[in-house]
């Protein structure tokens, strides 16, 4: 009788063992009770890329279009990194974002000090970009881009080139831009428009140094708080020591206009200009 009671006691203990062990274990990473909410109201240990509400296909398509026109020249066609910008698909801000709420401050200029320019995009456009980014697979390869970006108005692009865009003040369709539409694919051409890496091929910075009533000009070789050096047209190399703000140094960057335009590009301007330049063959 005593042996039978011990047997039933062992059965009860073994049956209860899973519940006992579970109660003694710490909360698993990512579990709803693992840690208090973070600053955005999400749990600090909640996994990235948490489930989001479904996004309409039309919104995703619009987000891809807006991203292509405004962001791909830095971050790449597939948002997995370009010549300047990092991979966004696996970026913590994008992964933590739900519906554009974390992406919006960055687009609107919160990281200008880190080199991310401000874009004047509507919130609906940013939400669409977020929807498209979230729709991309987290792997290293995404679906190839098939977006046709030549959707602008050629005549309006020509007017912008010769007018408000001030492109013709530096470039000529019969000079450095002659045949440019046949040298670049539309996508590469659009990227080159924004970055300035077209026509002049990324011309070097020049500098004017005025010292003791003498002015010297040439290609900028080096400039810091203490020295400036340049190479004149005849190949002569010259260096100047900078003491108490003298000599006067003025740097001329042929791409500065493009840098400034990053803050003012409109989708329509970029599309129209691309459509126009693709005709120059």
């Amino acid at each position: 009788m005593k042996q039978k009671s011990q047997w039933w006691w062992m059965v009860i203990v073994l049956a209860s063992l899973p519940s006992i062990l579970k109660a003694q274990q710490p909360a698993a990473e990512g579990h709803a009770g693992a840690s208090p909410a973070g600053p955005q109201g999400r749990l600090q240990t909640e996994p990235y890329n948490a489930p989001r509400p479904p996004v309409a296909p039309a919104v995703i398509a619009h987000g891809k279009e807006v991203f292509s026109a405004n962001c791909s020249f830095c971050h790449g066609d597939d948002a997995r990194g370009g010549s300047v910008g990092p991979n966004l698909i696996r970026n913590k801000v994008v992964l933590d974002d739900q519906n554009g709420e974390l992406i919006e401050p960055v687009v609107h200029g919160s990281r200008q000090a880190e080199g991310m320019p401000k874009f004047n995009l509507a919130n609906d456009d940013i939400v669409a970009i977020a929807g498209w980014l979230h729709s991309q697979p987290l792997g290293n390869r995404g679906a190839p881009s098939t977006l046709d970006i030549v959707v602008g108005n050629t005549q309006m692009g020509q007017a912008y080139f010769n007018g408000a865009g001030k492109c013709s003040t530096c470039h000529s369709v019969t000079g450095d831009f002659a045949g440019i539409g046949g040298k670049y694919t539309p996508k590469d051409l659009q990227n080159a428009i924004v970055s300035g890496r077209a026509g002049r091929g990324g011309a070097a910075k020049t500098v004017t140094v005025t010292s003791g009533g003498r002015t010297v000009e040439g290609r900028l070789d080096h400039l810091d708080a203490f020295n400036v050096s340049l190479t004149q047209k005849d190949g002569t190399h010259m260096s100047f020591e900078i003491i108490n703000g003298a000599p006067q140094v003025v740097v001329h960057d042929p791409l500065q206009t493009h840098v400034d335009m990053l803050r003012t590009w409109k989708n329509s301007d970029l599309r129209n200009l691309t459509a126009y330049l693709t005709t120059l063959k």
Side-chain angles (χ1 to χ4, degrees):
M1 185 70 178
K2 182 178 181 182
Q3 184 177 5
K4 186 175 181 179
S5 299
Q6 289 177 341
W7 183 80
W8 277 108
W9 178 81
M10 290 178 64
V11 170
I12 294 172
V13 170
L14 290 174
S16 305
L17 188 58
S19 299
I20 297 172
L21 292 176
K22 183 176 180 180
Q24 292 177 344
Q25 288 178 346
E29 183 177 356
H31 189 273
S35 63
Q40 282 80 40
R42 300 188 63 202
L43 299 174
Q44 293 176 357
T45 57
E46 188 175 349
Y48 293 157
N49 205 28
R52 302 179 179 89
V55 179
V59 174
I60 293 177
H62 178 61
K64 180 178 182 180
E65 182 180 2
V66 177
F67 182 92
S68 178
N70 295 275
C71 317
S72 62
F73 60 90
C74 280
H75 296 285
D77 274 351
D78 58 2
R80 287 173 168 78
S83 59
V84 179
N87 184 322
L88 295 181
I89 302 301
R90 302 185 67 84
N91 179 271
K92 186 178 185 298
V93 171
V94 175
L95 291 169
D96 280 344
D97 179 84
Q98 288 291 302
N99 196 35
E101 75 284 351
L102 301 184
I103 297 173
E104 182 271 334
V106 178
V107 173
H108 284 164
S110 68
R111 294 192 176 182
Q112 292 186 73
E114 289 81 9
M116 169 68 188
K118 175 182 178 181
F119 288 87
N120 296 318
L121 295 180
N123 285 337
D124 287 347
D125 288 336
I126 297 174
V127 169
I129 290 176
W132 178 72
L133 289 174
H134 297 153
S135 73
Q136 302 306 297
L138 290 177
N140 290 329
R141 295 182 62 85
S145 174
T146 58
L147 181 67
D148 181 11
I149 65 168
V150 187
V151 294
N153 182 288
T154 302
Q155 289 72 31
M156 294 181 68
Q158 183 177 14
Y160 184 81
F161 182 92
N162 295 308
K166 301 180 180 179
C167 309
S168 60
T169 61
C170 293
H171 304 285
S172 168
V173 296
T174 59
D176 60 336
F177 271 18
I180 195 171
K183 300 175 182 177
Y184 294 83
T185 65
K187 185 60 190 176
D188 289 340
L189 179 58
Q190 190 174 86
N191 291 346
I193 291 170
V194 179
S195 66
R197 304 293 176 180
R200 298 183 179 183
K205 294 180 181 179
T206 60
V207 63
T208 300
V209 178
T210 303
S211 177
R214 180 189 178 195
T215 298
V216 180
E217 296 181 335
R219 185 189 70 237
L220 177 64
D221 296 326
H222 177 78
L223 174 64
D224 58 30
F226 308 102
N227 298 278
V228 58
S229 61
L230 58 90
T231 300
Q232 295 178 285
K233 288 183 178 180
D234 62 2
T236 303
H237 181 76
M238 301 189 70
S239 296
F240 299 85
E241 186 178 10
I242 301 175
I243 303 175
N244 296 328
Q248 181 183 11
V249 178
V250 179
V251 176
H252 312 281
D253 186 351
L255 300 184
Q256 187 60 47
T257 299
H258 290 267
V259 173
D260 295 339
M261 288 297 290
L262 285 174
R263 296 169 173 80
T264 61
W265 281 117
K266 295 180 181 178
N267 288 349
S268 57
D269 295 335
L270 194 57
R271 294 168 183 165
N272 295 338
L273 189 55
T274 300
Y276 169 59
L277 293 181
T278 56
T279 67
L280 302 178
K281 300 180 179 179

